[in-house]
Amino acid sequence: MCGACVIEAVKQRMLSRRDVLKAAPLAAAAPAAALSFAHAAEAPRHVVDLTHTVSPEFPTYDGGPAYTVDKRFNFAEHGINAHFVTINEHAGTHLDAPFHFSADGATVDEIPIDKLVCPLAVIDIREKAAADPDASVTPDDIAAWTAAHGPLPDGACVALFSGWADRVESDGFRNADEAGVQHYPGFHAETAAMLLAEGAVAGLASDTLSIDIGASRTFDTHYLWLPAGRWGLEAVAGLDQLPAAGATLIAGAPKRKGGTGGPTRALALV
Amino acid sequence: MCGACVIEAVKQRMLSRRDVLKAAPLAAAAPAAALSFAHAAEAPRHVVDLTHTVSPEFPTYDGGPAYTVDKRFNFAEHGINAHFVTINEHAGTHLDAPFHFSADGATVDEIPIDKLVCPLAVIDIREKAAADPDASVTPDDIAAWTAAHGPLPDGACVALFSGWADRVESDGFRNADEAGVQHYPGFHAETAAMLLAEGAVAGLASDTLSIDIGASRTFDTHYLWLPAGRWGLEAVAGLDQLPAAGATLIAGAPKRKGGTGGPTRALALV
C-alpha cells in the first residue's frame, strides 16, 4: 500500500506515532516469534531458503544489471518507503515458464500452483563440475540417483547441484572466457529428452545461471524442456543443505499475466 | 483515536482477556493449531493458491497501474520471449516489509525464511464486512477465534477474511466513494497492538488492499505493526478454500536487496 495521496496525512502522523512506540516497551520487548513445525507424532521439519539475495549487481546471463530501482517514496520525506523496480524477468533465483522458449506455451501465471510444489531430487555432480565447468547432468547421473533412491516421484523437480552457488559473489559464477563464452554446468539435452519421455518430472532446477550448460549456443535443453510444458528454476541457492531425496520444493513463481518467468522465492521443506 | 489511548485501551483489554483465558478451560483444552506437514504415511495435503493473477489493470491502493512491460524479446523475432517489468512493489498479492513503514526496519530480503512459513489463523468477518465496508478485525474477533481453536500458534499469520477477493475484477475492490476515499475492511489498531503485546504473531494478512481499513488516513495499523519487525500480506486470494485453523502459509516474498516489499506467490498447505 503506498501512494502520493497518503503522504500528507502520514507526515502529520509520524511524530506522534514514533513517540508512542518509544513509550511502548510492550511492543519492543515482544519475544521473537519462534517458528515451530513440531507436531506431537512427527519429526519436526525445517525450511531451507533456496533463493539468493538479488541486488542490481547479481550476475545475469546477459551481463546486464539484474534490476534498477526508482526509490519514489522515502521515509524521511514521505513517511513511507516504497519503490518501483524495473527487473529482468530472468534475474536472480527465477523461474522460466514454458512461454520463455516457445511461441504459445504457458505463461508464468498459467502454471498451476500444484505443479510448483513438488518432491525434489538433488543430483550431486560437484566432483565432475569441479574438474570441468562444462560438465552436465547425463542420463547416467539420473540412473545413479534412481538406483539409490528409487524412481523419480510423480511431478518431481530434478535439481542440478554443481556447487556453483558458492561462486555467486565472484566472476566465477558466469565464468566467462576471453571470448565472452560462459562456462558452467547444465543439463545435457539427452537427459531432458529422457525425462520428457518418462513423463514424471515437472521441473528442472539448476544452481547455475541456466538449465543448459553456459557454453551452449543452441539452448537444446531449454528448447526441449520448456515447450513441452515444463518449467525451469535457475540460480538456485542452498542445495548443500538438502538431502538427495525427500525434500519438498516450493518453487513459487510470480503470478504475473503473460510473464515469461520471473524472480521467485524458492524454498524447501525438509 | 490517539496512539497513547490505543495502547492504554489495549493494556486494559489484555488484562481482561487474560482473565477470560485463565477461566476458560475450554480454550486451554482446545487443540493447538499446530503445524503438520504431510509424510508419506499420512493423508496427502493439498496446495491452495492465495495469489491473484496480477495484470497492469489490477487494482492498486493509489489507483496507478500495477506494472508496465517492455517486451524486449519475442519468439518470432528473437527465438525467445523475455520481458523487463517495471512494477510497484506494493501491487498485486504482495508483502509489506518492516522497512515500508519505518526508517530502518528490515527490508524484504532480511526477513528470515522461517518467519514466512507459518501457521495461518483465518478470521472470518464476512458477515460484518458485507454490512459495513469499514468493518475491522477487533480484539473480540481474535478472542472468538482463540475460544474456538485455542491460542494463536507461535509465529502465526492472522488473516482477515472479509470476502473482498470476490470483488477483485470490479471497482468494488477499491470501493472508492465520490471523494476518492476507499472503503474496505482492515485490522483495527487495537488488534495490532494486542497481537504485538502477546508476541506470538509474525504476520498479518488481508484479502483487501491494506492491513488498515481503506478509509484510514493515519495508517495506525501499518505504523504499529511494521516498525515492530512484523510483516503484512495484502490482496490475498483463496481464503474461502481454507479452514479457520490448521493451514500452513507460505508467504514467499521476493529476496530483493533493500526492497520495501513486493509481489509474492503466497500459498497454503492444507
Coordinates of all heavy atoms in Angstrom, one line a residue, chain B residues 64-145:
Chain B
G64 N -2.9 3.8 -9.6 CA -2.0 3.7 -10.8 C -1.9 2.2 -11.3 O -2.4 1.3 -10.7
P65 N -1.2 2.1 -12.4 CA -1.0 0.7 -12.9 C -0.2 -0.2 -12.0 O 0.7 0.4 -11.4 CB -0.3 0.9 -14.3 CG 0.3 2.2 -14.2 CD -0.5 3.1 -13.2
A66 N -0.5 -1.4 -12.0 CA 0.3 -2.3 -11.1 C 1.7 -2.5 -11.7 O 2.7 -2.6 -10.9 CB -0.4 -3.7 -11.1
Y67 N 1.8 -2.5 -13.0 CA 3.1 -2.6 -13.6 C 3.0 -2.2 -15.1 O 1.9 -2.2 -15.7 CB 3.8 -4.0 -13.5 CG 3.0 -5.1 -14.1 CD1 3.3 -5.5 -15.4 CD2 2.0 -5.8 -13.4 CE1 2.6 -6.6 -16.0 CE2 1.3 -6.9 -14.0 CZ 1.6 -7.2 -15.3 OH 0.9 -8.3 -15.9
T68 N 4.2 -2.0 -15.7 CA 4.3 -1.8 -17.2 C 5.3 -2.8 -17.7 O 6.2 -3.3 -16.9 CB 4.7 -0.4 -17.6 OG1 5.9 -0.1 -16.9 CG2 3.7 0.6 -17.1
V69 N 5.2 -3.2 -18.9 CA 6.0 -4.3 -19.5 C 6.8 -3.8 -20.7 O 6.2 -3.1 -21.6 CB 5.2 -5.5 -19.9 CG1 6.1 -6.6 -20.4 CG2 4.3 -6.0 -18.8
D70 N 8.0 -4.1 -20.8 CA 8.8 -3.9 -22.0 C 9.1 -5.3 -22.6 O 9.9 -6.0 -22.0 CB 10.1 -3.2 -21.6 CG 11.2 -3.2 -22.7 OD1 10.9 -3.7 -23.8 OD2 12.4 -2.9 -22.4
K71 N 8.4 -5.6 -23.6 CA 8.5 -7.0 -24.2 C 9.7 -7.0 -25.1 O 9.6 -7.0 -26.4 CB 7.2 -7.4 -25.0 CG 6.0 -7.5 -24.0 CD 4.8 -8.0 -24.7 CE 3.7 -8.1 -23.7 NZ 2.4 -8.6 -24.3
R72 N 10.9 -7.0 -24.5 CA 12.1 -6.7 -25.2 C 12.5 -7.8 -26.2 O 13.1 -7.5 -27.3 CB 13.3 -6.5 -24.2 CG 14.5 -5.8 -24.8 CD 15.4 -5.3 -23.8 NE 14.8 -4.4 -22.8 CZ 15.5 -3.8 -21.8 NH1 16.8 -4.1 -21.7 NH2 14.9 -2.9 -21.0
F73 N 12.2 -9.1 -25.9 CA 12.5 -10.2 -26.8 C 11.2 -10.9 -27.1 O 10.5 -11.3 -26.1 CB 13.5 -11.1 -26.2 CG 14.8 -10.5 -25.9 CD1 15.1 -10.0 -24.6 CD2 15.8 -10.2 -26.9 CE1 16.3 -9.4 -24.4 CE2 17.0 -9.6 -26.7 CZ 17.3 -9.2 -25.4
N74 N 10.9 -11.2 -28.4 CA 9.7 -12.0 -28.7 C 10.1 -13.2 -29.6 O 11.1 -13.1 -30.3 CB 8.6 -11.2 -29.3 CG 9.0 -10.7 -30.7 OD1 9.0 -11.4 -31.7 ND2 9.4 -9.4 -30.8
F75 N 9.3 -14.2 -29.5 CA 9.7 -15.5 -30.1 C 9.9 -15.4 -31.6 O 10.8 -16.0 -32.2 CB 8.7 -16.6 -29.7 CG 9.1 -18.0 -30.0 CD1 10.0 -18.6 -29.1 CD2 8.7 -18.7 -31.1 CE1 10.4 -19.9 -29.4 CE2 9.1 -20.0 -31.4 CZ 10.0 -20.6 -30.5
A76 N 9.0 -14.7 -32.3 CA 9.0 -14.6 -33.7 C 10.3 -13.9 -34.2 O 10.9 -14.4 -35.2 CB 7.8 -13.7 -34.2
E77 N 10.8 -12.9 -33.5 CA 12.0 -12.2 -34.0 C 13.2 -12.8 -33.4 O 14.3 -12.8 -34.0 CB 11.9 -10.7 -33.6 CG 11.0 -9.9 -34.5 CD 11.0 -8.4 -34.0 OE1 12.0 -7.7 -34.3 OE2 10.1 -8.1 -33.2
H78 N 13.2 -13.2 -32.1 CA 14.4 -13.5 -31.4 C 14.5 -14.9 -30.9 O 15.5 -15.3 -30.4 CB 14.5 -12.6 -30.1 CG 14.3 -11.1 -30.4 ND1 13.1 -10.4 -30.0 CD2 15.1 -10.2 -31.0 CE1 13.2 -9.2 -30.4 NE2 14.4 -9.0 -31.0
G79 N 13.5 -15.7 -31.1 CA 13.5 -17.1 -30.7 C 13.3 -17.4 -29.3 O 13.2 -18.5 -28.8
I80 N 13.1 -16.3 -28.5 CA 12.7 -16.4 -27.1 C 11.7 -15.3 -26.8 O 11.7 -14.3 -27.5 CB 13.9 -16.3 -26.1 CG1 14.6 -15.0 -26.2 CG2 14.9 -17.5 -26.3 CD1 15.6 -14.7 -25.0
N81 N 11.0 -15.5 -25.7 CA 10.2 -14.4 -25.1 C 10.9 -14.0 -23.8 O 11.1 -14.9 -23.0 CB 8.8 -14.8 -24.8 CG 8.0 -15.1 -26.1 OD1 7.8 -14.2 -26.9 ND2 7.5 -16.3 -26.3
A82 N 11.2 -12.7 -23.6 CA 11.7 -12.3 -22.3 C 11.4 -10.8 -22.2 O 11.6 -10.0 -23.1 CB 13.2 -12.5 -22.3
H83 N 10.9 -10.5 -21.0 CA 10.4 -9.1 -20.7 C 11.2 -8.4 -19.6 O 11.7 -9.1 -18.8 CB 8.9 -9.2 -20.3 CG 8.0 -9.9 -21.3 ND1 6.8 -10.4 -21.0 CD2 8.2 -10.2 -22.6 CE1 6.2 -11.0 -22.0 NE2 7.1 -10.9 -23.0
F84 N 11.1 -7.1 -19.6 CA 11.5 -6.3 -18.5 C 10.3 -5.7 -17.9 O 9.5 -5.2 -18.7 CB 12.6 -5.3 -18.9 CG 13.9 -5.9 -19.1 CD1 14.2 -6.8 -20.1 CD2 15.0 -5.5 -18.3 CE1 15.4 -7.4 -20.3 CE2 16.3 -6.1 -18.5 CZ 16.5 -7.0 -19.5
V85 N 10.1 -5.7 -16.6 CA 8.9 -5.3 -16.0 C 9.2 -4.2 -15.0 O 10.1 -4.4 -14.1 CB 8.2 -6.5 -15.3 CG1 6.9 -6.1 -14.6 CG2 7.9 -7.7 -16.3
T86 N 8.4 -3.1 -15.1 CA 8.6 -2.1 -14.1 C 7.3 -2.2 -13.1 O 6.2 -1.9 -13.6 CB 8.6 -0.7 -14.7 OG1 9.8 -0.7 -15.6 CG2 8.7 0.4 -13.7
I87 N 7.6 -2.6 -11.9 CA 6.5 -2.9 -11.0 C 6.5 -2.1 -9.7 O 7.6 -1.8 -9.2 CB 6.4 -4.4 -10.8 CG1 5.1 -4.8 -10.1 CG2 7.6 -4.9 -10.0 CD1 4.7 -6.3 -10.3
N88 N 5.4 -1.7 -9.3 CA 5.1 -1.1 -8.0 C 5.3 -2.2 -7.0 O 4.7 -3.3 -7.1 CB 3.7 -0.6 -8.0 CG 3.2 0.0 -6.6 OD1 3.8 -0.3 -5.6 ND2 2.1 0.7 -6.7
E89 N 6.2 -2.0 -6.0 CA 6.5 -3.1 -5.0 C 5.2 -3.5 -4.3 O 5.2 -4.5 -3.7 CB 7.5 -2.6 -4.0 CG 9.0 -2.7 -4.5 CD 9.9 -2.2 -3.4 OE1 9.6 -1.3 -2.7 OE2 11.0 -2.8 -3.4
H90 N 4.2 -2.6 -4.3 CA 3.0 -2.9 -3.5 C 1.8 -3.1 -4.4 O 0.7 -2.6 -4.1 CB 2.8 -1.8 -2.5 CG 4.0 -1.7 -1.5 ND1 4.2 -2.5 -0.4 CD2 5.2 -1.0 -1.7 CE1 5.3 -2.3 0.1 NE2 6.0 -1.4 -0.6
A91 N 2.0 -3.9 -5.4 CA 0.9 -4.2 -6.4 C 0.7 -5.7 -6.3 O 1.6 -6.5 -6.1 CB 1.3 -3.8 -7.8
G92 N -0.6 -6.0 -6.6 CA -1.0 -7.5 -6.6 C -0.9 -8.0 -5.2 O -0.8 -7.3 -4.2
T93 N -1.0 -9.3 -5.1 CA -0.8 -10.0 -3.8 C 0.7 -9.8 -3.4 O 1.6 -10.2 -4.1 CB -1.1 -11.5 -4.0 OG1 -2.4 -11.7 -4.5 CG2 -0.9 -12.2 -2.6
H94 N 0.9 -9.1 -2.4 CA 2.3 -8.6 -2.1 C 2.6 -8.5 -0.6 O 1.6 -8.5 0.2 CB 2.6 -7.3 -2.7 CG 1.8 -6.2 -2.1 ND1 0.5 -5.8 -2.3 CD2 2.2 -5.3 -1.1 CE1 0.1 -4.8 -1.6 NE2 1.1 -4.5 -0.8
L95 N 3.8 -8.6 -0.3 CA 4.3 -8.5 1.1 C 4.7 -7.1 1.4 O 5.4 -6.4 0.6 CB 5.4 -9.5 1.4 CG 5.7 -9.7 2.8 CD1 5.2 -11.2 3.2 CD2 7.1 -9.6 3.2
D96 N 4.4 -6.6 2.6 CA 5.0 -5.3 3.2 C 6.1 -5.7 4.1 O 5.8 -6.4 5.1 CB 3.9 -4.5 4.0 CG 2.9 -3.8 3.1 OD1 3.0 -3.9 1.9 OD2 2.0 -3.1 3.7
A97 N 7.3 -5.3 3.9 CA 8.4 -5.5 4.9 C 8.3 -4.4 6.0 O 7.7 -3.3 5.8 CB 9.7 -5.4 4.2
P98 N 8.9 -4.7 7.1 CA 9.0 -3.6 8.2 C 9.5 -2.3 7.6 O 9.0 -1.2 8.0 CB 10.0 -4.2 9.2 CG 9.7 -5.7 9.1 CD 9.5 -5.9 7.6
F99 N 10.4 -2.3 6.7 CA 11.0 -1.1 6.2 C 10.0 -0.2 5.4 O 10.2 1.0 5.2 CB 12.2 -1.4 5.2 CG 12.9 -0.3 4.6 CD1 13.6 0.6 5.5 CD2 13.1 -0.1 3.3 CE1 14.3 1.7 4.9 CE2 13.8 0.9 2.7 CZ 14.4 1.8 3.6
H100 N 8.9 -0.8 5.0 CA 7.9 0.0 4.2 C 7.3 1.2 5.1 O 7.1 2.2 4.6 CB 6.7 -0.9 3.8 CG 5.7 -0.3 3.0 ND1 5.9 0.7 2.1 CD2 4.3 -0.6 2.9 CE1 4.7 1.0 1.5 NE2 3.8 0.2 2.0
F101 N 7.2 0.9 6.4 CA 6.6 2.0 7.3 C 7.6 2.3 8.4 O 7.1 2.5 9.5 CB 5.3 1.6 7.8 CG 4.1 2.0 6.9 CD1 3.9 1.5 5.7 CD2 3.3 3.1 7.3 CE1 2.8 1.9 4.9 CE2 2.3 3.5 6.5 CZ 2.0 2.9 5.3
S102 N 8.9 2.2 8.1 CA 9.8 2.6 9.2 C 11.1 3.1 8.6 O 11.4 2.9 7.4 CB 10.1 1.4 10.1 OG 10.7 0.4 9.3
A103 N 11.9 3.8 9.4 CA 13.1 4.4 8.8 C 14.2 3.4 8.7 O 15.0 3.5 7.7 CB 13.6 5.5 9.8
D104 N 14.2 2.4 9.5 CA 15.3 1.4 9.5 C 14.9 0.0 9.8 O 15.7 -0.8 10.3 CB 16.4 1.9 10.5 CG 15.8 2.1 11.9 OD1 14.6 1.7 12.1 OD2 16.6 2.6 12.8
G105 N 13.7 -0.3 9.5 CA 13.2 -1.7 9.7 C 13.8 -2.7 8.7 O 14.5 -2.2 7.7
A106 N 13.6 -3.9 8.9 CA 14.1 -5.0 8.0 C 13.5 -4.7 6.6 O 12.3 -4.5 6.4 CB 13.7 -6.3 8.5
T107 N 14.4 -4.8 5.6 CA 14.0 -4.8 4.2 C 13.5 -6.2 3.9 O 13.7 -7.2 4.6 CB 15.1 -4.3 3.3 OG1 16.3 -5.1 3.5 CG2 15.4 -2.9 3.6
V108 N 12.9 -6.3 2.7 CA 12.2 -7.6 2.4 C 13.1 -8.8 2.3 O 12.8 -9.9 2.7 CB 11.3 -7.4 1.1 CG1 12.2 -7.3 -0.1 CG2 10.3 -8.5 1.0
D109 N 14.4 -8.5 1.9 CA 15.3 -9.6 1.8 C 15.9 -10.0 3.2 O 16.5 -11.1 3.3 CB 16.5 -9.2 0.9 CG 17.1 -7.9 1.4 OD1 16.4 -6.9 1.5 OD2 18.3 -7.8 1.7
E110 N 15.6 -9.2 4.2 CA 16.2 -9.5 5.5 C 15.2 -10.3 6.4 O 15.6 -10.7 7.5 CB 16.5 -8.2 6.2 CG 17.7 -7.5 5.6 CD 18.0 -6.1 6.2 OE1 17.0 -5.5 6.7 OE2 19.1 -5.6 6.0
I111 N 14.0 -10.6 5.9 CA 13.1 -11.4 6.7 C 13.5 -12.8 6.6 O 13.5 -13.4 5.5 CB 11.6 -11.2 6.2 CG1 11.2 -9.7 6.2 CG2 10.7 -12.0 7.1 CD1 9.9 -9.4 5.5
P112 N 13.8 -13.5 7.7 CA 14.2 -14.9 7.6 C 13.1 -15.8 7.0 O 12.0 -15.6 7.3 CB 14.5 -15.3 9.1 CG 14.6 -14.0 9.8 CD 13.8 -13.0 9.1
I113 N 13.5 -16.7 6.2 CA 12.6 -17.6 5.5 C 11.6 -18.3 6.5 O 10.5 -18.5 6.2 CB 13.3 -18.6 4.6 CG1 12.3 -19.2 3.6 CG2 14.0 -19.6 5.4 CD1 11.7 -18.3 2.6
D114 N 12.2 -18.6 7.7 CA 11.3 -19.4 8.6 C 10.2 -18.5 9.3 O 9.4 -19.0 10.0 CB 12.1 -20.2 9.6 CG 13.0 -19.3 10.5 OD1 12.9 -18.1 10.4 OD2 13.8 -19.9 11.3
K115 N 10.3 -17.2 9.1 CA 9.2 -16.3 9.5 C 8.1 -16.2 8.4 O 7.0 -15.7 8.7 CB 9.7 -14.9 9.7 CG 10.8 -14.7 10.8 CD 10.2 -14.7 12.2 CE 11.3 -14.3 13.2 NZ 11.1 -15.0 14.4
L116 N 8.4 -16.7 7.2 CA 7.5 -16.6 6.1 C 6.8 -17.9 5.8 O 6.0 -18.0 4.9 CB 8.2 -16.1 4.9 CG 8.9 -14.7 5.0 CD1 9.8 -14.5 3.8 CD2 7.8 -13.7 5.0
V117 N 7.1 -18.9 6.6 CA 6.3 -20.2 6.6 C 5.7 -20.4 7.9 O 6.5 -20.6 8.9 CB 7.3 -21.4 6.2 CG1 6.6 -22.7 6.2 CG2 8.0 -21.1 4.8
C118 N 4.5 -20.4 8.0 CA 3.9 -20.3 9.4 C 2.4 -20.8 9.4 O 1.8 -20.9 8.4 CB 4.0 -18.9 9.9 SG 3.1 -17.7 8.9
P119 N 1.9 -21.1 10.6 CA 0.5 -21.5 10.8 C -0.3 -20.3 10.5 O 0.0 -19.1 10.8 CB 0.4 -21.8 12.3 CG 1.8 -22.0 12.8 CD 2.7 -21.1 11.9
L120 N -1.5 -20.6 9.9 CA -2.4 -19.5 9.4 C -3.7 -19.6 10.2 O -4.4 -20.6 10.2 CB -2.6 -19.7 7.9 CG -3.4 -18.6 7.2 CD1 -2.7 -17.2 7.4 CD2 -3.6 -18.9 5.8
A121 N -4.0 -18.5 10.9 CA -5.3 -18.3 11.6 C -6.2 -17.4 10.7 O -5.9 -16.3 10.5 CB -5.1 -17.7 12.9
V122 N -7.3 -18.0 10.3 CA -8.2 -17.2 9.4 C -9.4 -16.7 10.2 O -10.2 -17.4 10.8 CB -8.7 -18.1 8.2 CG1 -9.7 -17.3 7.3 CG2 -7.5 -18.7 7.4
I123 N -9.5 -15.3 10.2 CA -10.6 -14.7 11.0 C -11.7 -14.3 10.0 O -11.5 -13.3 9.2 CB -10.0 -13.4 11.7 CG1 -8.7 -13.7 12.4 CG2 -11.1 -12.8 12.6 CD1 -8.8 -14.6 13.6
D124 N -12.8 -14.9 10.1 CA -13.9 -14.7 9.1 C -14.8 -13.6 9.6 O -15.6 -13.7 10.5 CB -14.7 -16.0 9.0 CG -15.8 -15.9 7.9 OD1 -16.1 -14.8 7.4 OD2 -16.3 -17.0 7.6
I125 N -14.7 -12.4 8.9 CA -15.6 -11.3 9.3 C -16.5 -11.0 8.1 O -16.9 -9.8 7.9 CB -14.8 -10.1 9.7 CG1 -13.9 -9.5 8.6 CG2 -13.9 -10.3 11.0 CD1 -13.5 -8.0 8.8
R126 N -16.8 -12.0 7.3 CA -17.6 -11.7 6.1 C -18.9 -11.1 6.4 O -19.4 -10.2 5.7 CB -17.8 -13.0 5.3 CG -16.6 -13.4 4.5 CD -16.8 -14.7 3.7 NE -16.9 -15.8 4.6 CZ -17.2 -17.0 4.3 NH1 -17.3 -17.3 3.0 NH2 -17.2 -18.0 5.2
E127 N -19.5 -11.5 7.5 CA -20.9 -11.1 7.8 C -20.9 -9.5 8.1 O -21.6 -8.8 7.5 CB -21.5 -11.8 8.9 CG -23.0 -11.6 9.1 CD -23.6 -12.6 10.1 OE1 -23.1 -13.7 10.2 OE2 -24.5 -12.1 10.9
K128 N -20.0 -9.1 8.9 CA -20.0 -7.7 9.2 C -19.4 -6.9 8.1 O -19.7 -5.7 7.9 CB -19.3 -7.4 10.6 CG -17.8 -7.6 10.7 CD -17.4 -7.2 12.2 CE -15.9 -7.5 12.4 NZ -15.5 -7.1 13.8
A129 N -18.5 -7.4 7.3 CA -17.9 -6.7 6.2 C -19.0 -6.5 5.1 O -19.0 -5.4 4.5 CB -16.7 -7.5 5.6
A130 N -19.9 -7.4 5.0 CA -21.0 -7.3 4.0 C -21.9 -6.1 4.4 O -22.5 -5.4 3.6 CB -21.8 -8.6 3.8
A131 N -22.1 -6.0 5.8 CA -23.0 -5.0 6.3 C -22.3 -3.6 6.3 O -22.9 -2.6 6.2 CB -23.4 -5.4 7.7
D132 N -21.0 -3.6 6.5 CA -20.2 -2.3 6.7 C -18.8 -2.5 6.1 O -18.0 -3.2 6.7 CB -20.1 -2.0 8.2 CG -19.3 -0.8 8.4 OD1 -19.0 0.0 7.4 OD2 -19.0 -0.5 9.6
P133 N -18.5 -1.8 4.9 CA -17.2 -2.0 4.3 C -16.1 -1.4 5.2 O -14.9 -1.7 4.9 CB -17.4 -1.3 3.0 CG -18.5 -0.4 3.1 CD -19.4 -1.0 4.1
D134 N -16.4 -0.6 6.1 CA -15.4 0.0 7.0 C -15.2 -0.9 8.3 O -14.5 -0.5 9.3 CB -15.8 1.4 7.5 CG -15.9 2.3 6.3 OD1 -15.1 2.2 5.4 OD2 -16.9 3.2 6.3
A135 N -15.7 -2.1 8.3 CA -15.6 -3.0 9.4 C -14.1 -3.4 9.6 O -13.3 -3.3 8.6 CB -16.4 -4.3 9.2
S136 N -13.7 -3.8 10.8 CA -12.3 -4.2 11.0 C -12.3 -5.4 11.9 O -13.3 -5.7 12.6 CB -11.5 -3.0 11.7 OG -12.1 -2.6 12.9
V137 N -11.2 -6.1 11.9 CA -10.9 -7.2 12.8 C -10.6 -6.6 14.2 O -9.6 -5.8 14.3 CB -9.7 -8.1 12.4 CG1 -9.4 -9.1 13.4 CG2 -10.1 -8.8 11.0
T138 N -11.4 -6.9 15.2 CA -11.2 -6.3 16.5 C -10.6 -7.3 17.4 O -10.6 -8.5 17.1 CB -12.6 -5.9 17.1 OG1 -13.4 -7.0 17.2 CG2 -13.2 -4.8 16.2
P139 N -10.1 -6.9 18.6 CA -9.7 -7.9 19.6 C -10.8 -8.9 19.9 O -10.4 -10.1 20.2 CB -9.4 -7.0 20.8 CG -8.9 -5.7 20.2 CD -9.8 -5.5 19.0
D140 N -12.0 -8.6 19.9 CA -13.1 -9.5 20.1 C -13.1 -10.6 19.0 O -13.4 -11.8 19.3 CB -14.5 -8.9 20.2 CG -14.7 -8.1 21.5 OD1 -13.9 -8.3 22.4 OD2 -15.6 -7.3 21.6
D141 N -12.8 -10.3 17.8 CA -12.8 -11.3 16.8 C -11.6 -12.3 17.0 O -11.8 -13.5 16.8 CB -12.6 -10.6 15.4 CG -13.8 -9.8 15.0 OD1 -14.9 -10.2 15.1 OD2 -13.5 -8.6 14.5
I142 N -10.5 -11.8 17.5 CA -9.4 -12.6 17.8 C -9.8 -13.6 19.0 O -9.5 -14.8 19.0 CB -8.1 -11.8 18.2 CG1 -7.7 -10.9 17.1 CG2 -7.0 -12.8 18.6 CD1 -7.3 -11.5 15.8
A143 N -10.5 -13.0 20.0 CA -10.9 -13.8 21.1 C -11.8 -14.9 20.7 O -11.8 -16.0 21.2 CB -11.5 -12.9 22.2
A144 N -12.7 -14.6 19.8 CA -13.7 -15.6 19.3 C -12.9 -16.7 18.6 O -13.2 -17.9 18.8 CB -14.7 -15.0 18.3
W145 N -11.9 -16.4 17.9 CA -11.1 -17.4 17.2 C -10.4 -18.3 18.2 O -10.4 -19.5 18.1 CB -10.1 -16.8 16.2 CG -9.4 -17.8 15.3 CD1 -9.7 -18.1 14.0 CD2 -8.2 -18.6 15.6 NE1 -8.9 -19.0 13.5 CE2 -7.9 -19.3 14.5 CE3 -7.4 -18.7 16.7 CZ2 -6.9 -20.2 14.4 CZ3 -6.3 -19.6 16.7 CH2 -6.1 -20.4 15.5

